[in-house]
Amino acid sequence: MKKTLLAAAAGCVLAVPVAVWWLVGDLSAAVPPGTELDRAIRPPAVDPWAERAAGIAAALVAVGTLALLVRASRQGRFDRRWWAALLPALVAGAVTGAGWRVVTAGTLGANIGAGLTIFLGGPLVALLLLWALGWSARLLLSRRAAR
């Protein structure tokens, strides 16, 4: 795989969680001013302009790199077998980005969504990443054996 396509795949995997995080937005409960919200995890303080800039940049990188990879795949420059590793990594990133918004949402009382996200989303992300790593290792080892 060419270095450009490798960088595109890595950029896409890194950009998807941030893009999804930004697209989901704050999930905190709408309450009257002055009401204290309960949080499972307090999110880091990020200025709205920085959040918007990071989200837009990540969305552009994700869409651009994905388009580049699809085009390269159709032209035969990107081995289609790598999609079996890349897609689970992208799904894991999307689950992580959305999950972070759920876990850091301010609620009135217990944040049940945070518990469910950690209980169900954590193992799902782990399985998806293990699959992606295993498939990548398989492709790399089969390529090495073919030499």
Side-chain angles (χ1 to χ4, degrees), residues 37-128:
L37 293 173
D38 296 320
R39 296 183 185 273
I41 296 174
R42 184 163 299 284
V46 179
D47 286 330
W49 67 266
E51 183 177 318
R52 190 174 311 110
I56 291 170
L60 290 173
V61 167
V63 169
T65 55
L66 195 57
L68 177 80
L69 291 168
V70 167
R71 185 172 182 209
S73 183
R74 287 186 176 176
Q75 293 174 346
R77 295 182 296 121
F78 182 67
D79 188 351
R80 292 176 190 241
R81 295 177 298 168
W82 280 102
W83 285 107
L86 185 58
L87 288 177
L90 294 176
V91 171
V95 170
T96 301
W100 182 250
R101 283 296 195 176
V102 171
V103 170
T104 59
T107 61
L108 294 172
N111 185 346
I112 305 228
L116 287 173
T117 299
I118 293 167
F119 184 70
L120 299 174
L124 175 62
V125 167
L127 286 172
L128 288 167

Side-chain angles (χ1 to χ4, degrees), residues 13-34:
V13 168
L14 294 174
V16 163
V18 178
V20 170
W21 167 81
W22 175 67
L23 289 169
V24 168
D26 187 12
L27 297 176
S28 296
V31 294

